[in-house]
Amino acid sequence: MKHVHNKRLIIVGGVAGGASAAARARRLCEDCEIIVFERGSYVSFANCGLPYFVGGEIADQDSLLLQTPASLKARFNLDVRIKTEVIRIDRATQRIQVRERETGREYEESYDALILSTGASPLKPPIPGIDHPNHFVVRNIPDAEQIMAWTKDCLRCRAVVVGGGYIGLEMAEQLRNRGFEVTVVEASPQVMTPFDPEMAAWLHAELRANDVNLLLNDPVIAFEPPSDQEPAGASIVVLKHGQRLPADAVILGLGVKPEISLAADAGLEIGERGGIRVNGHLQTNDPHIWAVGDAIEVRDGITGHWTLIALAGPANRQGRIAANNIFGRPSRYEQTWGTAIVRLFEITAGCTGANEASLRLADIPFLAIHLHPSSHAGYYPGAEPIALKVLFAPDTGKLLGAQAVGHDGVDKRIDVLATALKADMTVHDLAELELAYAPPYGSAKDPVNLAGMAAQNVLNGDVSLAQWNEVATLDPAKTLVLDVRGADERAKGFIPGSIHIPLDELRGRLDELPRDREFIAHCQSGQRSYFACRVLMQNGFQVRNLTGSWRTWSNAIQ
Ligand code: FAD
């Protein structure tokens, strides 16, 4: 491997991607000069931990500081300059201009290689009244400190979280856990748009079960001061459909946009999604400048489209890859699957790859299955169902995406499925995966294996599927819903208009079923109704299995 000596590397942004690039660069080049410029007061801090610091789960602010300029100097011999903003790049002379934020002093530095890891800034759309001292974004430690200062004096505060992305949900959870009255307002019909609506519905249920006031489909149109008739507070959050929500504090979780002004002003190419455009080596259109993290566009591993991914894993890995490339170790960042996970009170929701919306947008044909397997062997205490959705190609069975929600075991299934996506696996491969099993951890057929097998059943023609959202549009003259659950389960609720024949009685009662109709069979999770489908198909009936069955349908329609 070629060794590079005496290079001068400058890194803009000293948190996830920047700090990772700097440390890797030092490991590859002991005698290079490495300078990190960070606009804020902290480097290498755990921004992902900020909500838990606000909520008190992380009690000590210092534990968010993974490194300091002094520790980075001691361990990696890095020259870290905090409170110093890079304000201009002169590509022709390979120099940058910086400004010290406290003194206003400006000076220049030259570089042989430059890495931009400028991140993404919270979106603040021009909603009237959005700027207010009690309206907070959550990006860095000073933001969290401001929210903490507000929460300290507040006993039964009313917080309105605007935006149901993962930062909004994590903040809602943490503020609710502190005993505050919390409302989540979301403009679209669901929270967490990487999830399909029926999967996001589990999150809606969990928010409501924890007394979070969830308002969907209702954008904020203004923030106003309270009138004389309204309860005192910081502001009134005015929604499109007329509600006026008194708030002592507002958390703005409206998403982020890449910080690209430095790059754009320097004439670096900006892509169609508004991020810095880089090649597979994370190099911009200037061969001396690399860019990583939330500020860049990356290729979606399923659709092939350019996309923006604001996640710590990609940023950290990209930092390492950029440093590799600068110091003679060619490495590539090929694509992303947007693998993400969020905890919301008692449940965990994880996703990887494409969802239905992104597949439709990219015109990629897909099939979807829903399952509700147990997190571990059902006979061992503590097993919990996982709502698992897997999307795959109807011809090859290639895995396209997965989503999972549940109380236990979601993280490892999503990570297995993310690994399978990276390895370009099919659902046939999922059925064959050899996964660790003992009763406290899994099942002899792990949920991932079961997903593969259920998908194979569809591809083999052993069963056809109906989706939860088809039920509302069925014409009873053509299609009937057949409930094959036990009487005790049906007593707790049923699909209106459905026929009830428990699975174990089905073979003896086939003559009760009209032969001129199609049937959609369902049970609680879709497994017994699959067995029913096999009985009916082999007896000449036209039948489909309601994938995910009662659990998916009843949760989704709430
Ligand atoms: P950042 O880490 O944001 O660093 C960019 C830095 O560049 C900033 O500190 C900024 O001050 C500095 N900068 C910008 N311009 C200049 C300039 N001109 N001069 C000097 N400095 C500059 N991701 C997950 O995967 N899982 C999570 O659970 C998760 N939770 C999160 C929770 C919160 C509250 C937040 C805010 C983010 C979370 N993320 C999470 C996202 C993750 O933190 C980011 O994807 C990651 O930090 C991006 O790394 P980056 O280096 O691109 O940008």
Side-chain angles (χ1 to χ4, degrees):
M1 197 57 69
K2 184 172 75 172
H3 282 281
V4 181
H5 296 287
N6 295 325
K7 246 188 182 175
R8 193 165 215 248
L9 169 64
I10 288 185
I11 299 172
V12 189
V15 190
S20 180
R24 176 66 178 165
R26 175 56 75 222
R27 291 195 290 275
L28 297 180
C29 186
E30 187 56 22
D31 53 6
C32 291
E33 199 179 342
I34 304 171
I35 311 174
V36 179
F37 287 101
E38 169 53 52
R39 186 176 57 197
S41 307
Y42 302 95
V43 278
S44 194
F45 64 90
N47 30 18
C48 308
L50 294 174
Y52 306 104
F53 172 58
V54 170
E57 277 189 53
I58 297 174
D60 181 6
Q61 182 172 325
D62 286 349
S63 50
L64 295 174
L65 301 174
L66 309 176
Q67 297 284 351
T68 62
S71 70
L72 288 169
K73 176 75 185 164
R75 180 149 304 168
F76 298 108
N77 190 24
L78 300 178
D79 178 354
V80 178
R81 304 185 195 173
I82 56 170
K83 301 180 194 170
T84 309
E85 182 165 12
V86 177
I87 53 174
R88 205 170 73 86
I89 304 167
D90 185 343
R91 289 167 53 199
T93 60
Q94 288 181 221
R95 296 181 76 78
I96 56 160
Q97 191 177 356
V98 304
R99 182 187 295 141
E100 290 177 349
R101 296 190 79 188
E102 281 178 345
T103 63
R105 182 173 83 95
E106 291 187 8
Y107 59 94
E108 292 188 358
E109 293 286 1
S110 65
Y111 62 84
D112 297 309
L114 180 66
I115 299 179
L116 304 178
S117 187
T118 46
S121 51
L123 281 171
K124 255 190 167 188
I127 302 172
I130 195 165
D131 289 314
H132 184 288
N134 278 25
H135 295 178
F136 305 107
V137 294
V138 195
R139 181 182 185 184
N140 50 36
I141 290 181
D143 295 335
E145 284 171 340
Q146 280 184 38
I147 302 172
M148 293 293 276
W150 164 73
T151 58
K152 214 156 41 83
D153 303 324
C154 226
L155 293 175
R156 279 200 61 81
C157 288
R158 299 154 304 175
V160 174
V161 176
V162 184
Y166 70 85
I167 293 177
L169 293 191
E170 287 174 353
M171 288 301 298
E173 177 205 69
Q174 291 297 308
L175 293 173
R176 187 74 200 101
N177 284 349
R178 291 192 61 166
F180 300 159
E181 284 174 25
V182 179
T183 297
V184 172
V185 178
E186 170 57 58
S188 62
Q190 67 169 81
V191 300
M192 291 293 287
T193 47
F195 290 80
D196 289 317
E198 77 281 15
M199 299 302 285
W202 296 101
L203 298 168
H204 300 166
E206 186 70 4
L207 285 166
R208 290 178 175 131
N210 284 280
D211 293 326
V212 173
N213 179 25
L214 175 63
L215 302 172
L216 299 169
N217 259 323
D218 212 350
V220 175
I221 54 165
F223 300 93
E224 293 178 357
S227 66
D228 293 345
Q229 288 77 46
E230 287 174 316
S235 45
I236 300 288
V237 182
V238 186
L239 305 188
K240 187 177 174 195
H241 293 120
Q243 271 206 64
R244 297 175 63 82
L245 305 167
D248 298 302
V250 171
I251 307 290
L252 298 168
L254 290 157
V256 294
K257 67 168 188 304
E259 279 216 25
I260 53 151
S261 53
L262 193 59
D265 291 348
L268 295 178
E269 189 183 346
I270 305 301
E272 67 210 32
R273 304 295 308 274
I276 303 170
R277 180 59 61 81
V278 290
N279 63 22
H281 298 290
L282 301 174
Q283 202 169 24
T284 66
N285 58 319
D286 181 321
H288 301 286
I289 305 179
W290 284 256
V292 301
D294 291 0
I296 66 169
E297 290 187 356
V298 285
R299 286 275 186 200
D300 184 294
I302 301 298
T303 64
H305 294 171
W306 288 108
T307 184
L308 297 168
I309 295 284
L311 289 170
N316 275 276
R317 294 200 314 281
Q318 290 160 5
R320 180 183 167 91
I321 289 169
N324 280 350
N325 285 316
I326 291 167
F327 293 103
R329 303 206 178 185
S331 322
R332 293 183 68 82
Y333 186 87
E334 297 292 355
Q335 44 198 357
T336 184
W337 291 268
T339 307
I341 193 156
V342 65
R343 186 195 70 191
L344 187 63
F345 299 103
E346 298 296 318
I347 64 170
T348 302
C351 62
T352 185
N355 62 12
E356 288 198 20
S358 57
L359 291 170
R360 281 199 193 95
L361 201 67
D363 228 357
I364 297 176
F366 65 89
L367 289 170
I369 50 162
H370 290 89
L371 298 86
H372 298 272
S374 291
S375 55
H376 59 249
Y379 61 81
Y380 185 85
E384 296 279 356
I386 298 174
L388 178 60
K389 176 173 188 176
V390 173
L391 298 150
F392 55 100
D395 47 359
T396 58
K398 178 179 149 54
L399 188 61
L400 299 172
Q403 299 156 44
V405 186
H407 288 80
D408 180 41
V410 165
D411 51 347
K412 82 166 168 172
R413 274 53 187 231
I414 281 300
D415 279 345
V416 169
L417 289 159
T419 309
L421 275 173
K422 167 77 176 86
D424 222 3
M425 286 189 190
T426 66
V427 291
H428 306 294
D429 296 314
L430 297 187
E432 288 173 16
L433 285 180
E434 191 171 299
L435 300 170
Y437 161 62
Y441 302 106
S443 301
K445 283 183 197 152
D446 188 84
V448 175
N449 298 133
L450 287 174
M453 292 168 190
Q456 280 181 318
N457 291 337
V458 179
L459 293 176
N460 294 341
D462 289 342
V463 69
S464 299
L465 300 181
Q467 297 294 332
W468 66 274
N469 50 1
E470 289 179 57
V471 172
T473 61
L474 294 179
D475 175 359
K478 293 184 183 144
T479 307
L480 296 171
V481 176
L482 173 65
D483 180 354
V484 300
R485 297 175 301 164
D488 51 338
E489 294 164 301
R490 189 168 170 88
K492 292 182 190 146
F494 56 87
I495 296 178
S498 56
I499 301 169
H500 180 225
I501 303 180
L503 174 64
D504 294 346
E505 298 171 21
L506 186 61
R507 285 185 186 84
R509 294 174 59 183
L510 291 178
D511 53 4
E512 292 177 31
L513 299 175
R515 287 193 172 267
D516 60 346
R517 310 280 170 89
E518 180 203 34
F519 290 92
I520 290 182
H522 86 85
C523 59
Q524 204 69 6
S525 69
Q527 193 187 31
R528 281 170 294 164
S529 49
Y530 163 61
F531 303 153
C533 286
R534 294 302 302 152
V535 171
L536 291 171
M537 284 170 79
Q538 292 179 73
N539 278 282
F541 287 91
Q542 217 193 325
V543 59
R544 288 185 288 154
N545 191 13
L546 180 61
T547 183
S549 273
W550 174 259
R551 283 204 179 120
T552 297
W553 179 85
S554 60
N555 181 61
I557 58 149
Q558 275 171 26

